[in-house]
Amino acid sequence: MIFLALFSIVAVYIIVERAFAISKAAKEDVNFMNEVKNFVAQGKIEEAHIRCQSTDSPVARMIDKGISRIGKPLADVREAIENVGKLEVANLEKGLPMLATISSVGPMIGFLGTVTGMVRAFYQLAEAGQNSNVSVLANGIYEALVTTVAGLIVGILALFAYNFLTSRVNKIMNRLERSTMEFMDLLNEPAKK
């Protein structure tokens, strides 16, 4: 039960911390990309750079990296943006592997408690010999069932939170990809004229 209590504390911390971080990253400034596009189209690269630095979001950091590479081959610009995007996603996913581990290990520890509780119950029953009664067996079974329930609760909650947070990160990843495509299309436009 001590391990399950520790796992639940760690899981709650990760869930709350990641929920705030992902929620902050998910906020979208609807005018950001339009303003950056206008600045770049007008050749106001410094203004676009300042706009990106004044916005605290993964999209802004990616686009800022792309702006700093304007004038280089488009493949280099795309690679620089994608590298920043990978770092942003890795930052958003921080702690999620631990949450996934808790979701699978929690029930296993609960089942381990079940086995040890049953072993203790039958050992006490054997020790009692002729003096055995139902209460000797009931205590061990009670311990076994409590650890099973606790392990399943920790595992289910951690798995639900992991899947929820992962889906939120995936939505942000899709937005990052969309913004990258918009920016790369903007850089390709002058070449079409």
Side-chain angles (χ1 to χ4, degrees):
M1 289 299 288
I2 293 171
F3 287 115
L4 291 174
L6 291 175
F7 278 173
S8 64
I9 291 168
V10 170
V12 167
Y13 172 77
I14 292 170
I15 292 165
V16 170
E17 190 272 332
R18 284 294 87 198
F20 281 120
I22 292 169
S23 184
K24 181 181 174 187
K27 290 181 182 173
E28 188 172 6
D29 183 352
V30 291
N31 296 321
F32 173 76
M33 279 307 289
N34 290 333
E35 290 176 17
V36 169
K37 284 182 192 179
N38 289 336
F39 285 139
V40 172
Q42 295 170 10
K44 298 179 179 179
I45 304 304
E46 188 59 32
E47 285 86 348
H49 180 66
I50 291 169
R51 176 65 170 105
C52 288
Q53 289 188 334
S54 68
T55 304
D56 184 22
S57 74
V59 171
R61 288 186 283 276
M62 284 176 49
I63 300 303
D64 188 40
K65 184 56 110 174
I67 289 170
S68 71
R69 296 288 196 266
I70 288 179
K72 297 191 176 182
L74 290 179
D76 291 348
V77 175
R78 178 182 290 282
E79 184 177 344
I81 292 172
E82 288 175 353
N83 287 340
V84 171
K86 288 175 187 174
L87 292 173
E88 291 293 334
V89 170
N91 187 41
L92 291 173
E93 291 177 335
K94 184 176 60 176
L96 294 184
M98 175 60 91
L99 198 57
T101 300
I102 290 171
S103 74
S104 60
V105 173
M108 292 174 137
I109 289 177
F111 292 138
L112 179 62
T114 301
V115 172
T116 59
M118 294 304 287
V119 167
R120 182 181 308 169
F122 285 109
Y123 177 76
Q124 289 172 345
L125 193 61
E127 286 289 309
Q130 295 283 336
N131 299 329
S132 66
N133 59 33
V134 176
S135 67
V136 172
L137 189 58
N139 287 335
I141 293 173
Y142 172 76
E143 175 188 323
L145 293 177
V146 166
T147 57
T148 300
V149 169
L152 287 172
I153 288 171
V154 169
I156 289 168
L157 293 177
L159 182 60
F160 175 77
Y162 172 80
N163 287 330
F164 175 74
L165 294 172
T166 300
S167 71
R168 299 275 317 267
V169 169
N170 287 338
K171 286 180 184 176
I172 294 171
M173 283 175 52
N174 290 336
R175 196 172 78 224
L176 295 176
E177 290 173 9
R178 186 181 71 236
S179 298
T180 299
M181 289 171 30
E182 284 181 46
F183 184 73
M184 293 308 296
D185 287 346
L186 174 66
L187 296 183
N188 283 323
E189 283 177 14
K192 294 178 183 177
K193 293 180 181 178

